[in-house]
Amino acid sequence: MKNIYLKIGVILLLFVMIFTLTGCASNNNQTTQENQNEESASQEVQTVKLNDELEGTCGFAQEVQDKQYKIVALKEDGTTFDITGLGTIEYETLDYSNGKIYLQNETNFYEIDLTKGNGNYEVNEIFSYNLQKPTHYKNMGVYDGKVYFVADQENLVSYDLETGETKNVVDAEEIFGMYLNKENGKIYYTERSPQNYLREYDIETGEIKTIDSAESESRGSYGTYYYNVSLCPGNTSEALIYSKEEGAGNNRRTNNYIYKVGTGEKIKIDDLYLSGTYVEGKLYYCAEASEEPYPYHLLKVLENGSTTTIMEEQENSFIDFFDLGNGKIQTVMNWGQDVSTYGEQAYLIDKETLEVEETDKRLELVYLIQEADNKITQATESQGKE
C-alpha cells in the first residue's frame, strides 16, 4: 500500500514540475516576444521615413547638364529622381544625414528636408562661415548632428545643427582635404606643420593618430624641403587613397597607396596611378600608359594584386570615379587644354562584368546612404530618450 501512495506522490510531483516548466517557458516566450516587439517598434520610430517618391533611393548626387546643375536621388534600379530643378548654382560639397541633404556653395551651407514637401523640395540656408581664403576644393561631412569642414586650410571645424555652436576641433598650421568615415566615426585629413602627415581624428574621443608621414631634406642655404602627403579623391568607408612623395635615389617620386581602414594595411599602387576609387575590394582607376611627356591613358581594375585593363589606350584621361549604388561605377573622360577646347564623356563600368558603356548623364558629388546613417539616427534618438 505504501508503494502505491509513493507512486501516486511521484506522479503528482512530476505533473507539478511539468506545469511549472511549461508555464515558465510560456512566460519566457511571451517576455521575449514582447521585447522583440518593443525593439521593432523602437527601430521603426528611430529610422527616418523619407517621402514616398524616394522609395528605393540609395544615394544622392549633383547632375550636370550644359553647365547647369540639379540635385537628384539615385535609385537602386539605376533611375534618378529630381530633388531640385536645373539651375546655375554649382554646389561644392554634398552629404546626407538623418533625412536631410546637406550642401555647400562658397561660404554658405544649406539643407534639403526629404521628409517634407513630397515633390516640392526647398533648399534652405542653415548657416554661413566667414572663410578668409575660400577655394573651390572644399570637403564637408555631417555626423551625429554636426557639420564638419575645413576652414581656410587651417582648422577642422564643427557646426552643431541644433545649437548653432561653431567649434575648432583640430588646429593646425595647414590642413588640406578631409574625409569623414561614418562607419567608424573618424575623420581623415592631411596636415602640414611643417612636415606633412596623414592623420586620423576620432570624433568621440578627440584622439589624433598619425597614419603616415613624409620626409624632409636639407637644401643647404635654400632651407628645408618637405615632402608631400595628400589625400586623394575617391575615398570610401573601406579604404583611403593617398599620395606620398618619396625619395628615389637622387630624385623624388610620388607614389600612391591604398589604406584599408579596417585593418590598417597599406598597399602601394604599383602603377602610374592618376585617379580612382576603392569599392568592395576593387580599385577602379585611370593610369598613364607610359612615363612619356604626353602619355595615353588606360582604364583599369585592380583586385587581389591582379590588374585588368577594361579600356585600351586613350588620348584623354579619366576623372571622378563614383559608385552609384546600382552595380555601376561612373567615371568621366575629359579632354582639352582650356575652356574653349574642353570636353567630356561619362562612362559606366559594370562591377560584375567590368564592361564599359557610355552614358548621357554626368554625376558628381555622389553620396551613397550608408548603414551608419541609420545607426547614428538610432543613437541620437536613444540619447534623447534618456
Side-chain angles (χ1 to χ4, degrees), residues 202-218:
D202 190 309
I203 295 175
E204 183 178 355
T205 66
E207 180 185 359
I208 296 176
K209 173 183 173 183
T210 299
I211 303 298
D212 207 340
S213 62
E215 302 173 358
S216 63
E217 65 178 36
S218 174

Side-chain angles (χ1 to χ4, degrees), residues 9 12 101 128 152 167 196 206 289 348 357 369:
L12 289 173
I101 295 173
S128 295
D152 297 325
K167 178 182 177 182
N196 288 359
L348 297 178
E357 61 176 321
I369 299 174

Side-chain angles (χ1 to χ4, degrees), residues 92-141:
E92 298 160 284
T93 66
L94 181 151
D95 206 342
Y96 165 85
S97 180
N98 207 15
K100 295 179 181 179
I101 295 173
Y102 293 90
L103 304 159
Q104 181 185 4
N105 174 258
E106 296 187 359
T107 61
N108 302 317
F109 293 79
Y110 306 85
E111 70 176 14
I112 304 174
D113 192 332
L114 302 176
T115 66
K116 301 177 182 178
N118 226 39
N120 184 21
Y121 297 96
E122 295 183 359
V123 182
N124 298 312
E125 182 177 333
I126 48 177
F127 73 100
S128 295
Y129 190 87
N130 185 22
L131 297 169
Q132 301 295 324
K133 299 179 287 186
T135 68
H136 183 73
Y137 303 100
K138 297 183 176 70
N139 305 95
M140 178 262 286

Side-chain angles (χ1 to χ4, degrees), residues 259-325:
Y259 173 73
K260 291 190 176 182
V261 173
T263 63
E265 180 184 7
K266 298 171 188 171
I267 303 172
K268 183 180 176 182
I269 303 173
D270 291 320
D271 207 344
L272 300 173
Y273 175 92
L274 294 176
S275 60
T277 189
Y278 189 89
V279 178
E280 297 169 8
K282 295 179 183 178
L283 177 68
Y284 300 84
Y285 69 106
C286 173
E288 294 181 339
S290 66
E291 295 191 65
E292 297 174 0
Y294 302 101
Y296 275 50
H297 301 87
L298 297 165
L299 196 56
K300 294 184 174 185
V301 177
L302 172 65
E303 181 181 18
N304 296 327
S306 177
T307 303
T308 303
T309 299
I310 57 177
M311 185 181 286
E312 297 301 330
E313 293 187 14
Q314 303 289 326
E315 184 177 1
N316 310 302
S317 62
F318 297 87
I319 59 171
D320 291 350
F321 288 76
F322 293 113
D323 183 4
L324 302 185

